[in-house]
Amino acid sequence: YGNVINETYQMVDKFVGKIIEDIVDKNTIVIICSDHGFRRGPPTPMVFLSNLNKILNKIGVLYFKYNNHLSSKASENEILEVDFSRSQAYHSQVDKAHNALFISLNLKGRDSHGIVKNGKKYLKLKKHIINSLSNLAIVETGEKFFDSVSESSLPQTDIQIVPKNHINLLNQHMKINNNVYPLNEFYTFLDVSGDHADPGVVIIYGKNIKA
């Protein structure tokens, strides 16, 4: 696959050329703009927290639907759907640039499926989730499971988590509500050859556009 990237550039360039040749007239300006560039991936595999909803399930604030039944327990390797009619919180957003994950409380009046009332109940629940997640630790080392857990300032979200992305999954476990789980139940290996990066690309072509 040594030439695949360069050949892809050439192929896309031909597409652009065909657009200009077949469609564009002298009064048309063509703009090609990407929202990001690309770069080589990390030299060694990383791990990322892929199952935050499973953790919320195990601390008792999220429920799953599967096999057309409602359940509070998630089985291994099963694709699960959040049951918003009973869940008080859920994993809502990811910010890769700042290595952050966000939790939203299922708030009435904000979420279309909201069940949590704003006010004292909302504040108490948010504090409970922050405290529960902050106290999670790796059984073998005593090390905190997350780098930080705090209130979020991002709109539509309530809690911000910074997970550890350099964590040893081998034979390590986490204890939640007196139950012990292997870390690889929540983390996934990330071994990719490339990833998003700056800078992006802007190409402008047409009448009155200077090189």
Side-chain angles (χ1 to χ4, degrees), residues 64-71 73 75 78-81:
F64 290 115
K65 294 184 206 176
Y66 64 104
N67 294 336
N68 298 319
H69 297 289
L70 301 180
S71 176
K73 294 184 179 180
S75 61
E78 187 163 13
I79 297 175
L80 302 163
E81 180 184 347

Side-chain angles (χ1 to χ4, degrees), residues 141-158:
T141 65
E143 182 183 9
K144 291 291 185 182
F145 188 68
F146 297 116
D147 279 342
S148 68
V149 183
S150 59
E151 291 192 27
S152 171
S153 59
L154 190 70
Q156 307 299 314
T157 70
D158 302 285

Side-chain angles (χ1 to χ4, degrees), residues 44-55:
T44 57
M46 297 176 64
V47 296
F48 71 100
L49 183 62
S50 58
N51 284 311
L52 180 55
N53 275 344
K54 275 193 176 182
I55 296 176

Side-chain angles (χ1 to χ4, degrees), residues 71-187:
S71 176
S72 61
K73 294 184 179 180
S75 61
E76 189 69 23
N77 299 322
E78 187 163 13
I79 297 175
L80 302 163
E81 180 184 347
V82 175
D83 175 17
F84 288 107
S85 69
R86 298 196 300 160
S87 297
Q88 296 173 294
Y90 59 96
H91 176 200
S92 56
Q93 293 194 46
V94 177
D95 181 358
K96 283 187 176 180
H98 299 92
N99 184 31
L101 305 176
F102 294 89
I103 294 170
S104 294
L105 271 61
N106 197 10
L107 193 61
K108 280 187 175 181
R110 181 186 70 183
D111 292 56
S112 60
H113 34 57
I115 64 171
V116 177
K117 290 182 179 179
N118 208 343
K120 289 183 179 180
K121 184 176 180 181
Y122 163 79
L123 295 173
K124 184 178 180 180
L125 177 62
K126 182 164 63 172
K127 183 178 180 181
H128 165 69
I129 294 173
I130 290 175
N131 289 340
S132 297
L133 297 178
S134 297
N135 289 327
L136 295 179
I138 299 171
V139 173
E140 287 76 11
T141 65
E143 182 183 9
K144 291 291 185 182
F145 188 68
F146 297 116
D147 279 342
S148 68
V149 183
S150 59
E151 291 192 27
S152 171
S153 59
L154 190 70
Q156 307 299 314
T157 70
D158 302 285
I159 298 169
Q160 175 177 317
I161 293 172
V162 178
K164 299 180 188 294
N165 280 354
H166 297 279
I167 194 168
N168 179 15
L169 300 183
L170 188 63
N171 298 322
Q172 299 222 72
H173 301 78
M174 180 171 61
K175 190 174 184 179
I176 309 176
N177 291 336
N178 297 318
N179 294 309
V180 176
Y181 305 94
L183 295 192
N184 60 17
E185 186 169 333
F186 311 106
Y187 273 86

